[in-house]
Amino acid sequence: MALAYIGLGSNLSDNVDGHIVAPQAQLNKALNSLSSHRQINLVTVSSFYQTPPIGPGEQADYINAAAKLETQLTPLQLLDYLQSIEQQQGRVRNIRWGARTLDLDILLYNQLVQDCDRLTLPHPRMRERGFVLAPLTEIEPQLSLPNGENIAALLANCSMQGIVKL
Ligand code: ROI
C-alpha cells in the first residue's frame, strides 16, 4: 500500500446540463470520485483555500485543497485515474497555466523520486507554491520531501498574500 498526497485546484465553473458547478463543488465532486475507487482510501482532506491565481492573464481566484490517500494503484495508474476525473468534470486542456475547471496533481507518492514524460515526482513546482503547501502543511506538517526538506519550512518561505482558508 502506498501513501500519496494530491493537490486539487479549480477556478472555473463548469456548465452541467445548464447548471453551473462552482469551484468548491468541483473539488467536492472530485473527492467523491477519489473515495469511490476500490483501490483508493481517502485518509485526510484539508480545508479549502481561496488563493490568488499564479499565471498569465486575468483569471479568477482558485479554490485549492490537498488530500492524503492510501492506494494500491501505481503512480501512473493513479495519474490515469486523476486525468479521467478531470475529463469527466469538463477539463479542456488549452493554454498552459490557463484557467481550468479542475486540476488534480500527484504531489508525492511515498518518497518516490522519478522523472518520466508523464509524471515527475515530487511535483516539480510544489516547493515554491503557497497554494499547494498551505493545505498540505495543514494535514501533514511534519511531512518532508525525499531530499529532506520539510514542507512547513518551505511554506514559511512562500508568500501567503491573499491566501484565505475557508
Ligand atoms: N494558481 C493558483 N492560485 N492555484 C492553482 O491551483 C493554480 N494552478 C495552476 C496555475 C495556472 C499555475 N496557477 C494556479 O496550474
Side-chain angles (χ1 to χ4, degrees), residues 49-54 61 128-131 134 155-165:
Y49 291 73
Q50 185 172 337
T51 68
I54 307 285
D61 279 358
E128 64 256 19
R129 289 182 165 176
F131 68 80
L155 176 62
N157 289 323
C158 290
S159 167
M160 285 294 284
Q161 204 175 2
I163 296 185
V164 180
K165 184 173 166 178

Side-chain angles (χ1 to χ4, degrees), residues 5 7 33-34 36-37 41 49 55 58 71 75 82 85 92-93 97 99 101 118 123 126 128 137 161 165:
Y5 295 85
S33 300
L34 278 172
S36 73
H37 195 293
N41 176 30
Y49 291 73
E58 290 272 305
T71 186
L82 297 184
I85 297 173
V92 182
R93 283 185 182 268
W97 291 342
T101 49
R118 290 191 60 208
H123 189 285
M126 66 179 286
E128 64 256 19
T137 302
Q161 204 175 2
K165 184 173 166 178

Side-chain angles (χ1 to χ4, degrees), residues 74-90:
T74 65
L76 286 179
Q77 287 172 334
L78 181 58
L79 181 65
D80 283 339
Y81 188 58
L82 297 184
Q83 290 183 347
S84 76
I85 297 173
E86 288 177 346
Q87 259 147 38
Q88 255 169 41
Q89 293 187 219

